[in-house]
Amino acid sequence: MYGTSLRALRKFALVILIATATVGLAMAAPVSGPAPNFTLKSLDGKNLKLSEMRGDVVLINFWASWCAPCRQEMPLLNALYNKYQPLGFTVLGINVEENLDDARRFLKNFPVDFPILLDGNNKVSKQYNVIAMPTTVVVDRDGNMRFLHRGYRPGDEKTYQQMVKELIRE
């Protein structure tokens, strides 16, 4: 009984921390270094490994169903994916929740064409130091992180598009 209550309390504290960090926060910064590799199961049950995407520009987006900015951003990421996917670009949406049903309900309202990966134990989120929802990392064709963006405000998708276009041209 106490374990469940303690787990729920920890989860609530994490939600409050991330929500507090996300309010009014939308900041972008260049980053460098190799993107931490990971293997995650996709919503359709397939394993997907980041290192197998070498050669493509990859936008990794960490999101949660309770995240209001994620609701605004998800359709815009899907449009970006559909526009640039033929040029060697992909989006990986990484859901950070334990409850898979929450992600499925969210995606019924905000369907996407790109892969949705599941990080319910937050192992990959910790590798990428995710402290705000949503968090977006752009990885170049060589597997190096080039861009980090925490939070979302309308118009931020223009910054994503600019970065993606630049990296596709490299």
Side-chain angles (χ1 to χ4, degrees):
M1 178 175 157
Y2 291 111
T4 302
S5 298
L6 184 57
R7 191 174 320 125
L9 184 58
R10 272 192 243 147
K11 186 175 180 181
F12 178 73
L14 179 62
V15 168
I16 294 300
L17 176 66
I18 291 172
T20 302
T22 304
V23 172
L25 174 73
M27 43 188 238
V31 292
S32 62
N37 192 30
F38 59 82
T39 302
L40 287 173
K41 192 166 290 296
S42 68
L43 201 55
D44 62 7
K46 298 176 186 168
N47 283 334
L48 206 148
K49 191 173 192 173
L50 179 63
S51 62
E52 292 173 350
M53 306 193 125
R54 182 106 1 124
D56 284 348
V57 173
V58 181
L59 184 148
I60 304 168
N61 180 260
F62 294 89
W63 65 277
S65 64
W66 49 261
C67 166
C70 298
R71 290 184 188 103
Q72 292 177 302
E73 183 181 52
M74 197 63 77
L76 302 168
L77 292 176
N78 197 52
L80 191 66
Y81 170 76
N82 286 321
K83 183 173 184 175
Y84 293 103
Q85 190 267 336
L87 302 174
F89 169 71
T90 195
V91 174
L92 300 177
I94 300 182
N95 181 266
V96 300
E97 299 169 283
E98 288 180 28
N99 187 344
L100 179 61
D101 292 335
D102 292 340
R104 289 189 192 280
R105 276 192 296 278
F106 179 94
L107 292 167
K108 281 186 181 182
N109 293 319
F110 305 96
V112 296
D113 300 314
F114 54 82
I116 297 296
L117 308 178
L118 307 170
D119 187 29
N121 64 7
N122 297 123
K123 182 179 173 187
V124 175
S125 303
K126 290 175 187 168
Q127 282 182 285
Y128 281 83
N129 194 28
V130 174
I131 60 170
M133 283 294 123
T135 291
T136 300
V137 177
V138 181
V139 178
D140 68 18
R141 294 182 191 275
D142 295 324
N144 294 307
M145 295 183 296
R146 299 284 290 277
F147 181 75
L148 169 69
H149 192 272
R150 291 188 171 116
Y152 174 78
R153 289 187 185 155
D156 286 346
E157 67 278 2
K158 292 174 186 168
T159 305
Y160 299 164
Q161 183 173 0
Q162 181 182 14
M163 176 57 73
V164 167
K165 284 169 60 176
E166 181 181 315
L167 293 178
I168 285 173
R169 289 186 196 123
E170 287 184 357

